[in-house]
Amino acid sequence: MSNIIEGMESFFGRGAFESKVFADETCCFIGAFGNVGVVKTDEGLILFDIALRLFGPRVFQEVRKFSDKPIKYIVYSHGHFDHCLGYAPFIKEIKEKGWEMPQVIAHENCVRRFEKYRMLSKHQLWTYQQQFASVGVTMTDTESIMGALEPTIIIKGNESYNFSLSGYNFEIHHDKGETDDSIWMYFKEKKVLFTGDLMVSSYPNIGSPFRVQRYGKDWAIAMDKMMKKNAEFLLPGHGFLFKGKNDVQDVLSITAEALNFVHDEVVKRLNQGKWFEQIYNEMLDIYPDKFKNHEFLQPKYGDYRFAITDVYRLYHGWYDSGNPTDLFPAKSSEVAKELLKIGSIEKYLAKAKMLYEEGKFQLALHVIDIVIKGSTTASNSLLDAYNLKVKLLKRKVEEEEGSFIAVNILKTSMNQLKTNIKELKQELK
Ligand SMILES: [Zn+2]
């Protein structure tokens, strides 16, 4: 089994691939990293998303188990790499069979997103390698954006788009949420919602640490609009298929409620003239158990704490502490060096170890960083500091953090520290 599939299993808690026919055998749900929805009509297929590059061949196989009809439409729920880049085997088949190219439906901001990714492909890769460290992302994942199928039907602004195929009717709507290019589809006759990442079966991915602004309030509005459809099925962008009106309405309403909560409570505190740290900590204190414990809001990928930062960032600039020291800060290594002159490396190390023993991992990290950043020469104390930081990050992964993104960031840093440890040991020999 490849690393990526093992990683996906740990993310979903199940096999990476799952294929399920539903809605009177008109639809097929293919669970991959980035779910794929397939609709079968007499004239051909509609694919809602086509997964990531690596999973393209497997998704293709599953689609062809379900139906041998040509693909008429591909809909990009949004332009993230796990939803639009599994195109290669589909294009190969179209060319071999001499079929017409399918229409590709996307929002105009998806076109802009592809342009941005092409401009920033190496930076994208650098962030993916941290965010998706446990599953392994290679250059070809970012290169594959170069060959992505360009949209042919482009949804502008807040326009909706309706189309029919073999007597079935489909509505496409745009709402901002995880991204500014999200579109969702409703299959009217069979009452199926295809949501893309507006729904991910766990806490919404808002405020992702490496990513640009997201839109909590608009996201909640999208949930409300979807609820009005009274759908029987909901295919999320990640995670399991929701079946039955009750489950569909439940997951939409609790997600909308959670998004409205984080948005409105941060806005309330902004209007009270509070700085970020105060808002953040108050928000942690008031987070209701009904969200914390809800099975559809677990922080498997997104995290409530990330969401607080996202809402704040939507309405406030980068100067968030209210402390003018932070306006034009000195280098953190220079600050640490000065602190070490006052306290000595050994005292800081001893303090960090004590905090570690007391289970205060985060506080211990802040203290150990003074040793790491302030050390100017190779020393056994620095080696101890690296080792302690590895232990601290490991304990946080094992005991405190559940978000796939947070865990990967911590693990990436652990790996970097292990490299530093090896190099330092060489130097100390
Ligand atoms: Zn996604």
Side-chain angles (χ1 to χ4, degrees):
M1 202 185 297
S2 74
N3 275 347
I4 194 157
I5 292 181
E6 278 172 21
M8 296 303 138
E9 280 195 348
S10 64
F11 176 41
F12 290 118
R14 62 170 167 82
F17 279 90
E18 185 189 10
S19 193
K20 202 175 263 170
V21 177
F22 66 101
D24 306 325
E25 309 208 332
T26 57
C27 295
C28 180
F29 151 55
I30 300 167
F33 189 81
N35 290 331
V36 177
V38 192
V39 180
K40 180 166 56 180
T41 76
D42 291 342
E43 288 170 72
L45 306 181
I46 300 165
L47 299 186
F48 189 86
D49 284 342
I50 46 172
L52 50 81
R53 180 194 61 81
L54 187 71
F55 286 179
R58 185 67 192 273
V59 166
F60 176 78
Q61 265 179 25
E62 295 297 327
V63 169
R64 287 300 166 226
K65 273 188 218 162
F66 176 57
S67 166
D68 58 6
K69 289 190 184 293
I71 291 147
K72 292 291 181 188
Y73 291 89
I74 293 173
V75 184
Y76 293 157
S77 67
H78 62 301
H80 279 167
F81 84 120
D82 49 334
H83 298 266
C84 326
L85 299 184
Y87 52 81
F90 293 98
I91 295 181
K92 187 166 171 265
E93 180 191 50
I94 289 164
K95 286 191 177 152
E96 279 169 8
K97 300 212 168 167
W99 286 339
E100 268 178 42
M101 285 299 280
Q103 295 286 355
V104 178
I105 304 177
H107 190 265
E108 60 180 340
N109 288 339
C110 179
V111 179
R112 294 191 187 111
R113 176 183 298 281
F114 285 173
E115 283 167 13
K116 182 179 84 172
Y117 286 168
R118 285 168 187 140
M119 177 182 78
L120 282 166
S121 63
K122 289 197 175 126
H123 169 260
Q124 281 293 114
L125 177 65
W126 178 76
T127 64
Y128 291 161
Q129 283 169 337
Q130 295 170 77
Q131 183 170 337
F132 302 102
S134 59
V135 296
V137 178
T138 64
M139 194 63 209
T140 41
D141 291 292
T142 43
E143 281 169 345
S144 56
I145 192 74
M146 307 297 175
L149 286 173
E150 289 297 330
T152 54
I153 297 173
I154 296 171
I155 314 293
K156 297 222 160 60
N158 289 326
E159 280 173 8
S160 293
Y161 177 76
N162 297 332
F163 68 99
S164 310
L165 194 63
S166 308
Y168 289 135
N169 293 290
F170 303 89
E171 296 173 2
I172 303 266
H173 299 279
H174 162 67
D175 281 289
K176 288 200 283 189
E178 187 189 289
T179 58
D180 62 2
D181 60 348
S182 321
I183 54 179
W184 51 278
M185 183 170 85
Y186 186 53
F187 177 8
K188 273 171 123 171
E189 285 74 15
K190 302 293 175 184
K191 292 183 153 294
V192 185
L193 278 170
F194 299 85
T195 68
D197 283 357
L198 289 165
M199 180 59 69
V200 290
S201 327
S202 56
Y203 196 86
N205 186 13
I206 168 170
S208 188
F210 284 108
R211 305 292 157 221
V212 297
Q213 187 61 56
R214 293 174 173 190
Y215 307 91
K217 196 70 182 175
D218 303 82
W219 201 329
I221 291 168
M223 304 284 98
D224 289 340
K225 281 163 72 175
M226 290 180 195
M227 279 169 74
K228 292 204 173 81
K229 300 294 176 195
N230 282 311
E232 291 286 346
F233 299 94
L234 184 152
L235 181 77
H238 298 266
F240 298 96
L241 173 74
F242 290 86
K243 275 188 285 186
K245 211 173 277 179
N246 289 346
D247 267 12
V248 171
Q249 296 300 84
D250 279 357
V251 72
L252 288 170
S253 69
I254 195 71
T255 305
E257 216 185 312
L259 287 162
N260 278 322
F261 174 83
V262 68
H263 177 272
D264 296 349
E265 291 295 333
V266 170
V267 166
K268 187 165 101 190
R269 286 164 176 78
L270 282 166
N271 281 322
Q272 290 166 346
K274 291 174 179 169
W275 293 101
F276 179 71
E277 186 179 324
Q278 190 179 1
I279 294 177
Y280 181 81
N281 283 293
E282 286 181 15
M283 293 294 290
L284 297 187
D285 291 342
I286 62 161
Y287 190 41
D289 284 345
K290 74 164 174 178
F291 298 146
K292 205 180 290 174
N293 301 327
H294 200 288
E295 62 170 317
F296 299 150
L297 293 175
Q298 290 309 296
K300 291 183 192 168
Y301 198 86
D303 188 298
Y304 171 64
R305 291 165 293 176
F306 298 159
I308 303 167
T309 65
D310 197 77
V311 179
Y312 185 87
R313 198 160 51 129
L314 181 61
Y315 300 118
H316 190 91
W318 59 267
Y319 179 58
D320 62 3
S321 69
N323 180 359
T325 306
D326 299 328
L327 197 56
F328 303 110
K331 283 183 190 167
S332 56
S333 57
E334 294 294 325
V335 177
K337 256 184 244 169
E338 295 304 322
L339 290 172
L340 288 182
K341 283 180 201 163
I342 306 167
S344 90
I345 285 189
E346 285 66 33
K347 278 191 181 163
Y348 277 95
L349 253 181
K351 186 69 191 171
K353 279 180 191 160
M354 193 191 295
L355 290 166
Y356 169 73
E357 299 299 336
E358 290 169 5
K360 295 174 181 164
F361 303 147
Q362 188 58 41
L363 272 181
L365 281 172
H366 290 293
V367 176
I368 208 71
D369 277 353
I370 294 169
V371 178
I372 291 174
K373 288 188 173 185
S375 289
T376 46
T377 50
S379 68
N380 283 316
S381 301
L382 179 60
L383 189 60
D384 283 354
Y386 282 153
N387 279 314
L388 181 58
K389 188 159 182 178
V390 170
K391 278 206 277 187
L392 282 161
L393 296 177
K394 191 162 179 277
R395 292 286 292 272
K396 276 180 83 73
V397 166
E398 287 166 0
E399 295 166 37
E400 293 183 351
E401 300 303 337
S403 153
F404 177 90
I405 303 171
V407 165
N408 274 317
I409 290 174
L410 297 175
K411 283 187 173 169
T412 306
S413 181
M414 274 163 66
N415 290 338
Q416 180 57 52
L417 282 163
K418 284 176 186 166
T419 308
N420 296 350
I421 289 169
K422 258 190 216 157
E423 288 169 2
L424 184 58
K425 276 184 178 166
Q426 283 296 331
E427 243 182 286
L428 291 170
K429 259 183 186 171

